[in-house]
Amino acid sequence: MDQERALLDLLGLLELEPVPDRGDGEHFLGPAPLEPSSPVYGGHLAAQALAAAGRTVSAGLDVHSVHASFTRPAVPDTPFEHRVERVKDSTSFAARRVCTSQRGREVFALAASFHRPEPGLAHQDPMPDVPAPEDLPTYEERLTKAFGAQVSPLGKPYDQRFVGPLSFDVEKDPSLASARTQVWVRAKGELPAGAGGERERLLHACLLVYICDVTMLETVLVRHGVSWFHANGRSIDYTVWIHHPFRADDWLLCAHETPVAAGGRGLVLGRVFTRDGTLAATLAQEGLLRVSGGQGQAG
């Protein structure tokens, strides 16, 4: 599957089917992912649940915060049912809670807040000085160099261009270890240009939530010189705050850092910048990371 086809498939997975009223909130059915990997990638659940929440919000309100909790591993062969609870509706704000279930069991929970933009104080941190994405090798080219064997395109709906070392590189050379990673990301393919309203902005927010979930825990492994050959991980909690509009099919710089790892969990904080330096979003994620083979002894 090529990456542009993968993006079209992802957009199809965000098209949710309303379920008849049951008297306990609004229900939407979301397709299971096309990839058979188990457990299901967390970004899939978060993006679908956000899409469901956004379907219930009045015009003029944009999502500004998303708080996700992964309660049980989900499997790839069964659709997801998203139950949306309308917590608050006012002129300026809307709040939604989403409970996502599969086979009658809750697997995911999301809280999302929507706000009507208004004038106020404004400031932001500057964007890091990094090479342009066009000047960096693709993720597959990086893996080819790390493994010494050709790695074909992975067929993902996104493109990644890492600025610094990958965890595979640091495992070979511990002197490259760092508590920070920087990676350019974008949806692979051009999204249809709409009228630029909140529904279009919601789609780009869903794609950001989907794409950025894959970038963050790598930072913990780079800090400790452990590759994915010797670790497995999954998201526990995932938060996204959105500050400014952006397009997910244009390059976004994710600048991540990990302040702490303890008890088998790693915390990663991130900032997402558009190409022109606008701080579009802030991220936080805690993940479970289990290491095998005596790796990860660095402090």
Side-chain angles (χ1 to χ4, degrees):
M1 182 191 304
D2 63 53
Q3 289 179 305
E4 292 193 17
R5 178 69 253 174
L7 177 60
L8 292 176
D9 289 337
L10 173 58
L11 296 178
L13 295 174
L14 297 177
E15 291 293 328
L16 308 180
E17 177 185 346
V19 176
D21 183 18
R22 298 177 181 176
D24 63 343
E26 293 158 89
H27 293 247
F28 300 89
L29 198 63
L34 300 177
E35 293 183 342
S37 58
S38 184
V40 170
Y41 168 55
H44 176 101
L45 295 168
Q48 265 196 5
L50 177 57
R55 291 275 291 269
T56 71
V57 174
S58 300
L61 298 170
D62 289 326
V63 60
H64 73 93
S65 71
V66 179
H67 304 270
S69 295
F70 302 86
T71 53
R72 287 189 181 91
V75 295
D77 60 353
T78 306
F80 302 103
E81 185 166 331
H82 306 279
R83 178 175 61 83
V84 182
E85 177 186 353
R86 295 182 180 235
V87 178
K88 175 181 179 179
D89 283 294
S90 70
T91 302
S92 299
F93 282 93
R96 298 290 185 266
R97 275 197 291 261
V98 183
C99 174
T100 300
S101 60
Q102 189 182 53
R103 298 176 177 174
R105 303 179 71 198
E106 179 181 322
V107 297
F108 177 80
L110 178 140
S113 181
F114 299 77
H115 178 228
R116 191 181 306 278
E118 55 190 90
L121 303 175
H123 72 274
Q124 71 158 72
D125 286 344
M127 176 177 163
D129 185 14
V130 298
E134 294 84 1
D135 297 332
L136 295 168
T138 66
Y139 185 57
E140 291 82 3
E141 289 169 341
R142 292 292 303 275
L143 293 182
T144 295
K145 181 178 180 181
F147 299 157
Q150 183 67 38
V151 175
S152 301
L154 302 178
K156 302 293 185 181
Y158 49 80
D159 194 357
Q160 302 179 81
R161 306 286 176 94
F162 280 85
V163 175
L166 302 176
S167 59
F168 302 100
D169 301 317
V170 184
E171 191 169 69
K172 294 178 180 178
D173 182 356
S175 69
L176 298 175
S178 173
R180 293 174 173 82
T181 60
Q182 297 166 333
V183 53
W184 289 99
V185 298
R186 66 173 177 181
K188 185 65 174 180
E190 187 173 349
L191 293 166
E198 64 276 354
R199 296 304 177 195
E200 183 178 0
R201 291 192 293 273
L202 175 66
L203 172 62
H204 287 271
C206 290
L207 293 173
L208 178 75
V209 167
Y210 182 96
I211 294 169
C212 286
D213 185 43
V214 81
T215 67
M216 300 187 71
L217 293 183
E218 171 81 1
T219 310
V220 180
L221 299 189
V222 168
R223 168 67 177 80
H224 288 271
V226 180
S227 78
W228 290 109
F229 284 137
H230 296 104
N232 62 76
R234 64 178 180 85
S235 301
I236 301 173
D237 303 289
Y238 179 31
T239 299
V240 179
W241 295 273
I242 296 175
H243 315 302
H244 294 285
F246 58 88
R247 289 193 64 86
D249 55 350
D250 197 2
W251 287 108
L252 299 166
L253 177 69
C254 297
H256 299 318
E257 61 179 308
T258 176
V260 64
R265 304 180 310 275
L267 178 67
V268 181
L269 309 176
R271 296 174 297 163
V272 181
F273 295 88
T274 61
R275 290 191 65 141
D276 66 2
T278 300
L279 181 54
T282 301
L283 316 171
Q285 184 178 71
E286 186 177 46
L288 178 68
L289 286 162
R290 290 179 171 142
V291 178
S292 62
Q295 301 292 315
Q297 301 305 312

